[in-house]
Amino acid sequence: QVQLVESGGGSVQAGGSLRLSCAAVGYTYSPFCMGWFRQAPGKEREGVATLSTDSFTTRYADSVKGRFTIAQDNVKNTVYLQMNSLKPEDTATYYCAASYATACLRSPINTAVATTWGYWGQGTQVTVSS
């Protein structure tokens, strides 16, 4: 059973950058997909970026396209989210997730999240000030 350990959150001014890391440990079989989701106070959780661990296919929410990049390091079993040109509306708790469901390979980023993504990290706070 995979465990996900996140790091890299913090506070930054608008226009700044942060990189989040998610180390995956304790698994026998690699997840089909890894992803980053976020939840702001009073809002629903939303998908930010996902990656197929085999084909490296990536998907992004429209709100972060061109600013965020998801990537993986297979040697370190770590997934990263590079966040550039941060905006105050990016403020949220960011969660790393893993999926063993093949649906993650073809479904839009926010489709059937609860049934597709079965493993979650503890969350890391990102705060962007104006």
Side-chain angles (χ1 to χ4, degrees), residues 12 26 29 34 59 61-63 75-76 109 111 117 130:
V12 66
Y29 300 100
M34 297 290 292
R59 291 184 175 89
D62 288 343
S63 58
V75 174
K76 297 181 179 179
I109 196 168
T111 299
W117 300 85
S130 58

Side-chain angles (χ1 to χ4, degrees), residues 14 34 44-45 50 55 61 76 78 84 89 108 115 128:
M34 297 290 292
E44 292 187 356
R45 181 177 53 189
T50 65
S55 68
K76 297 181 179 179
T78 299
N84 298 327
E89 50 264 44
T115 55
V128 184

Side-chain angles (χ1 to χ4, degrees), residues 67-79:
R67 300 188 298 122
F68 291 11
T69 302
I70 186 171
Q72 66 177 8
D73 182 331
N74 285 340
V75 174
K76 297 181 179 179
N77 295 327
T78 299
V79 173

